[in-house]
Amino acid sequence: MNQAVSVKVASVPLEIEQRDAADPLRHLQARFHLPQGKVYLAGNSLGPAPVAAFDDIEAAVRKEWAEGLVQSWNDADWFSLVDTLGDRIGALVGAAAGQTVACDSVSINVYKALHAGLSLRPGRTTIVAEAGSFPTDLYVAEGVVAGRPDIKLLLEGVDADNIEELIDERTAVVLVNHVDYKSGELRDMAALTSRIHAAGAIAIWDLCHSAGVIAVELDACDVDLAIGCTYKYLNCGPGAPAFIYAAKRHQATLRQPLSGWWGHAAPFAFEVGYRPDNGARRLLCGTQPILSLRALNTGLAAIEDVAMADIRAKSLAMSDLFIDLVEQTCRDHGATLVTPRDHAIRGSQVSITFENGYAVVQALMARGIVGDFRAPDMMRFGFAPAYLSFADVYRAADAFNDVMTSGSWREERFNRRRAVT
Ligand SMILES: *Cc1c(COP(=O)(O)O)cnc(C)c1O
């Protein structure tokens, strides 16, 4: 699997080196372990390991688990990690404390959030979502309506071109992605939430591709519910627990069907009968994977002491640079930049469609440039400001231009499909 990685190191123009020297986030790079000879542009899929994670996770195993055993539920605060880590995630997405819990997977949290939204709008009959959504969100929505014959799922891109046409007095819940996982397009959270509220519906935002990289303002935008991922731009580890947010005003009334004991008002009273907690903990179900949850600590710590506005500014500067450097090559070879150029609607990735995109991504990987591919023809390059430099962006663009221009992606070895793309 470890084919000889021949990284042709492009020399970087002085102007690019100067941008790195002036970068206020430069010091963050040392907080991450980045494999030698790689430019990692897949942080929108799986973020790299924070260096501090090695010792922190070892301590979780050796001290908290191996030595502390069952007493670590109290002594190492395992039982409250869902809240303390949840509040730290909340701080990164514009949520005041007490509204976010770290738990379960995104898919499971979508299930809870959709039901919670429906419970807040009894009598209403539709869920509105996007056909272009990351599939699991829609698959879960299908599962929700399968158990609720009174509710219909309407999709932007199928039932109407624009989501706003689907939002009316029948709408209970609107589930939207803050950043589209394929195109990298950013939706206007404030404007769409207020449109959803004007129709009397509940707004659920999926922050998988914005948490950690965009200055999300959940409270200021008056969002009702939100879910998101911690293994992408929050760098908390493969399969790390996700998060779910419920605005304070809804917490005492919302219901969600995974009514396990961690969501109970008095979990250690072992009462007969479910009685939900009054706060965000009613979004919980049962025991969490504590070792995976512990990994959130260093992922969050790696970025929580810097301003999200600085992260956002560097993200846009990096994607601008990449676009500027590759757009001529794209035009010459029939590849299409699909990520918006307008900063107001651009996330933190650049997506390019090209018929042979899979082979191009493989050819780039062989040169140490790690992006990813989404069927049928989309190459994605994620720009994570915490650990990438402008020199990295330059090297990636240089390799991209070379692979496209030389046609080296045509080699047979780059055209063999593997299981995970
Ligand atoms: C990454 C991602 C997910 C992942 O869901 P899991 O349950 O963690 O597998 C879900 N939704 C969106 C929009 C994503 O980008």
Side-chain angles (χ1 to χ4, degrees):
M1 116 140 226
N2 219 346
Q3 292 177 6
V5 178
S6 60
V7 192
K8 203 180 102 190
V9 181
S11 61
V12 174
L14 183 62
E15 183 258 334
I16 301 288
E17 285 179 358
Q18 284 165 344
R19 288 180 78 165
D20 280 326
D23 172 14
L25 301 181
R26 226 186 138 182
H27 64 290
L28 297 187
Q29 193 174 43
R31 297 179 181 178
F32 295 90
H33 176 84
L34 295 159
Q36 279 292 315
K38 281 193 178 157
V39 174
Y40 193 65
L41 305 181
N44 53 326
S45 183
L46 174 66
V51 174
F54 305 142
D55 287 345
D56 199 44
I57 293 172
E58 187 178 351
V61 177
R62 288 191 189 276
K63 287 202 203 123
E64 297 173 19
W65 178 18
E67 294 296 326
L69 288 168
V70 75
Q71 286 154 290
S72 282
W73 286 105
N74 286 315
D75 296 346
D77 293 319
W78 283 353
F79 193 63
S80 56
L81 283 177
V82 286
D83 306 299
T84 53
L85 293 166
D87 284 346
R88 287 169 64 187
I89 295 167
L92 293 170
V93 293
Q99 303 178 100
T100 312
V101 280
C103 62
D104 301 328
S105 65
V106 179
S107 304
I108 290 171
N109 288 335
V110 169
Y111 185 78
K112 292 186 285 189
L114 285 171
H115 275 290
L118 292 175
S119 77
L120 294 167
R121 291 296 178 269
R124 292 200 170 211
T125 54
T126 66
I127 292 173
V128 172
E130 304 147 294
S133 176
F134 188 89
T136 201
D137 296 41
L138 289 189
Y139 300 160
V140 169
E142 285 178 35
V144 169
V145 292
R148 288 287 303 261
D150 55 324
I151 306 291
K152 205 171 159 214
L153 178 62
L154 298 176
L155 299 180
E156 178 190 49
V158 173
D159 299 298
D161 288 339
N162 189 318
I163 200 161
E164 305 214 359
E165 297 165 46
L166 299 171
I167 303 171
D168 58 26
E169 70 291 343
R170 291 166 299 178
T171 314
V173 179
V174 182
L175 169 65
V176 265
N177 287 274
H178 197 198
V179 174
D180 184 284
Y181 81 107
K182 275 193 167 175
S183 68
E185 182 167 345
L186 171 69
R187 280 200 115 125
D188 184 336
M189 182 179 277
L192 186 53
T193 302
S194 104
R195 170 73 185 83
I196 292 166
H197 286 170
I202 292 289
I204 307 178
W205 285 87
D206 186 321
L207 310 179
C208 283
H209 288 271
S210 59
V213 83
I214 285 172
V216 184
E217 294 288 351
L218 290 181
D219 288 347
C221 293
D222 214 21
V223 167
D224 300 291
L225 294 149
I227 64 258
C229 179
T230 66
Y231 53 75
K232 293 173 182 163
Y233 291 117
L234 289 172
N235 312 308
C236 294
F243 64 90
I244 177 165
Y245 158 98
K248 202 102 208 162
R249 63 185 177 280
H250 296 312
Q251 289 176 2
T253 38
L254 71 82
R255 301 290 294 213
Q256 60 88 4
L258 302 181
S259 46
W261 71 303
W262 276 43
H264 196 279
F268 288 94
F270 299 105
E271 292 170 12
V272 174
Y274 183 70
R275 188 164 61 84
D277 183 81
N278 263 330
R281 283 188 80 107
R282 77 166 51 193
L283 296 164
L284 301 176
C285 179
T287 306
Q288 293 302 304
I290 294 298
L291 295 177
S292 297
L293 196 55
R294 278 285 280 98
L296 268 63
N297 177 42
T298 54
L300 301 175
I303 59 164
E304 66 194 346
D305 62 343
V306 297
M308 201 48 77
D310 288 344
I311 290 183
R312 174 66 172 154
K314 183 175 170 189
S315 152
L316 288 170
M318 287 194 301
S319 52
D320 274 341
L321 176 64
F322 188 76
I323 290 172
D324 288 348
L325 291 170
V326 304
E327 64 184 341
Q328 186 60 46
T329 304
C330 288
R331 246 181 260 125
D332 292 348
H333 296 276
T336 308
L337 272 159
V338 295
T339 301
R341 280 148 204 271
D342 180 356
H343 285 180
I345 54 169
R346 189 194 305 162
S348 199
Q349 75 192 52
V350 174
S351 304
I352 299 171
T353 53
F354 182 58
E355 203 188 339
N356 295 289
Y358 179 82
V360 172
V361 168
Q362 296 304 310
L364 286 171
M365 275 193 200
R367 298 171 59 139
I369 311 295
V370 185
D372 77 1
F373 173 79
R374 287 292 173 260
D377 61 357
M378 188 171 287
M379 301 179 266
R380 300 189 308 174
F381 303 100
F383 294 97
Y387 50 83
L388 292 174
S389 64
F390 289 97
D392 290 329
V393 177
Y394 182 87
R395 286 193 193 100
D398 185 72
F400 177 85
N401 290 338
D402 191 57
V403 165
M404 293 294 281
T405 308
S406 68
S408 67
W409 56 265
R410 291 174 200 276
E411 281 180 46
E412 203 269 333
R413 64 182 169 130
F414 299 140
N415 287 274
R416 258 179 266 131
R417 299 266 173 150
R418 302 178 66 184
V420 176
T421 59

